[in-house]
Structure formats: C-alpha cells, structure tokens
Amino acid sequence: MDHARTACLGAGVIGASWAALFLASGRSVAVYDPSPEAEAQTRAYVETAWPTLTRLGLTVHGTPDALSFHTSAAAAVEGATFVQENVPERLAIKHAVFAEIEPALAPGAIVASSASGLTLGQMQDGWADPAPLVLGHPFNPPHLVPLVEVMGNARTGPGVADATAAFYESIGKVTIRVTKEVPGHVANRLQAAVWREAIHLAKEGVASVGDIDKAMWAGPGLRWAAMGPTACFSLGAGAGGLQAFCNHFRDTFNGWWDDMGRPYLDDDTITMLVDGADDAADGISHDEMLARRDAMITVMQEALRPHRKGR
C-alpha cells in the first residue's frame, strides 16, 4: 500500500512537521486540530520547512498544496490509509479521538501514535479493536531528524508494525523496533540518562550549564552522530574491539557509574538550569536558536547521507 492519502490528527509542532514530510513525499494530508489558528500555523510551518526539505531532496514528488483541513477527526481520516496521531498526551484525549475515528477508518488503515510518554498498551485501551494502532514515535522535528521508534504488540494486527516501518522508511526515516514496553521508549531514555548526569555535574559545580552542553556537542555528540556509543567504544581499543575495550575499562566505567548522581527537577534545580541556559545563549533569541539548530541538522544530514547509503 503506498498510502497516497494520509491524515495528521493534532497540528502542533510535531503534527505540522509530519504533515510537511508527508506532503514532500507526494502524499495528500488531511489535518484535524481544534485550534482556530491550526490551519494558518500549519501552512506557515510547511512553507518554512519546504526549502529545507527540497535541499534534502525530499520534495521531488511532493507539493505543499495537497493539504486540507477538517472540523473533526473522523472527517480527516476518511479515505486515509495512514494516520499520524499527535494529540496532547493525556489518555482521556487520546481515547476520545480513537473512539471517534475507529468507525470512520478505511479498511486496512494504520494509525501511528507519536506519543512519547504514554505506552502502546495504555493507548490501546481506547479502542474496541486496537489492531490498527502502533507506536510511531519521532524525534523533533520529524521532517529533519530521521529516527522513528516503531512498536506493535500482541494486540496489534499482523504485519501492521512491519508495514508502518516500511512506510516510514519509504519517506526517508530511520526506524528502530521497540520490542518491550517501557516508559519513554528507547531514545528518550538515553537522552534522559545523559541529561541527568549533565544536571548532576552542574549542581556539583564541576562545570557550567553552557560548558556541559559544549562538552556534548563538541565531543561525544559528534561521534554519536556517526554511530552509537557501543559501536564507538568497539573502535576504542584497537583491533581487539569491544572485548578489549571492556577488559581495559571495566573498572573505570563501574567506578564512574557508582559515582553518578540522581538529581531531580525541583524548583532550585530548574532555576539553576534556566539561568545557566540563558547565560549560555548570550542574548540569542529562541527563534534564532531554533533556526540555527535546524540549519545545522540539515547540513549534517546532507553531509552524512552518502555514508548512510544502505544502512
């Protein structure tokens, strides 16, 4: 199934970004969002994203004009064979939307949820038959960052998770399969672990918030954009590979792990982080920082693409 007709339920930052990517791939996109500003904001987002998507070679078959807006979720999913759900992460809202769209879905339609904090099992309880529902959790912004975490389970229809991954990959995404339900899935837990230690280092006065961020993007973050930490460490001890690395650094890492902190986001910690981030920004506005982030991600994606072929 080529999923020529898609729908996006919820048109915040995530939903608008998905809509831009689906349009770029040559699909039509039907959008539902109850906000009266949703249409104008989504069209503006697509217009802003389109030059970047073109630069990345993703708009060859697409047009930003294949976009429609609807006054109900049921109307938006009518005739769509792939639905990306991005409504607020409150179970009551998710369940209400699922109950509305379930009778209106086309036969064989897939509904992928962008949920980051809710589990698939929690969301499935909002369905009479949850066979069409899968987890399709992106990283923000979805039209630029390739990762999507895909998960189905015993209540998901046969082949639905595989078809979801195939669709995402056909529009340029990189998918991983989540095979066990845990809060936060995979990538969010990885970045939460790193941020926890970053906060601990700042609270202990080891370095400033800005310098800790700099240590990441100028050091391991650069390597991790090429390959993950286990693969990187497998190259860190010469021809002996990961076994030699672990033999050499076993006690070192065990000592570091024992010494790592467990801070919490209480009011004092949040104030420290906000003040530290403001100092590091040095007057750069939010919009300028956002544009700078997206520009750097775009350049990295362009540079890395030849090396990712077939990966």
Side-chain angles (χ1 to χ4, degrees):
M1 191 178 292
D2 66 0
H3 301 299
R5 297 177 68 178
T6 69
C8 285
L9 307 180
V13 172
I14 299 296
S17 182
W18 273 125
L21 183 62
F22 292 170
L23 289 167
S25 72
R27 276 81 180 178
S28 66
V29 182
V31 177
Y32 165 71
D33 190 296
S35 169
E37 291 82 34
E39 179 169 357
Q41 290 174 351
T42 303
R43 290 192 186 279
Y45 192 103
V46 171
E47 182 179 357
T48 300
W50 205 259
T52 298
L53 288 163
T54 300
R55 180 173 173 178
L56 292 172
L58 298 175
T59 62
V60 175
H61 304 292
T63 171
D65 298 328
L67 188 62
S68 61
F69 293 83
H70 302 266
T71 56
S72 71
V77 304
E78 187 175 348
T81 57
F82 193 93
V83 178
Q84 190 74 38
E85 176 272 306
N86 321 279
V87 303
E89 293 214 16
R90 293 194 288 277
L91 271 177
I93 297 176
K94 298 275 193 193
H95 287 176
V97 168
F98 295 148
E100 179 185 343
I101 68 171
E102 186 171 1
L105 288 174
I110 293 170
V111 179
S113 177
S114 295
S116 59
L118 298 174
T119 65
L120 180 60
Q122 289 174 312
M123 294 186 292
Q124 286 173 322
D125 290 340
W127 292 73
D129 176 8
L133 182 69
V134 291
L135 179 74
H137 174 244
F139 249 46
N140 187 31
H143 73 279
L144 282 183
V145 181
L147 177 66
V148 190
E149 298 172 317
V150 176
M151 181 183 181
N153 61 19
R155 300 174 71 190
T156 307
V160 171
D162 288 341
T164 301
F167 169 68
Y168 285 140
E169 289 163 8
S170 76
I171 61 174
K173 305 299 283 180
V174 173
T175 66
I176 68 165
R177 298 299 286 271
V178 180
T179 57
K180 182 179 180 180
E181 197 166 88
V182 292
H185 321 314
V186 176
N188 270 336
R189 292 176 70 100
L190 291 173
Q191 66 178 6
V194 172
W195 198 36
R196 182 173 71 179
E197 185 57 21
I199 294 170
H200 172 66
L201 291 170
K203 289 189 72 171
E204 291 297 307
V206 175
S208 70
V209 171
D211 274 354
I212 292 166
D213 270 4
K214 190 185 297 183
M216 176 55 68
W217 66 253
L222 194 60
R223 287 198 309 201
W224 292 347
M227 58 187 67
T230 304
C232 281
F233 287 148
S234 74
L235 304 175
L242 188 59
Q243 183 67 61
F245 183 89
C246 290
N247 290 344
H248 186 75
F249 290 106
R250 177 199 315 237
D251 292 339
T252 300
F253 274 86
N254 285 337
W256 289 343
W257 288 331
D258 288 342
D259 190 54
M260 287 184 175
R262 297 183 62 88
Y264 287 88
L265 287 175
D266 53 34
D267 290 344
D268 289 343
T269 300
I270 292 170
T271 297
M272 178 202 71
L273 292 170
V274 170
D275 290 346
D278 286 344
D279 288 344
D282 196 25
I284 299 172
S285 72
H286 172 81
D287 287 346
E288 185 180 354
M289 191 174 293
L290 197 65
R292 183 179 296 183
R293 180 203 68 181
D294 289 356
M296 288 191 287
I297 291 173
T298 301
V299 170
M300 286 188 283
Q301 291 283 68
E302 287 181 303
L304 290 171
R305 185 188 296 136
H307 304 282
R308 296 289 190 203
K309 188 175 182 180
R311 299 291 294 177

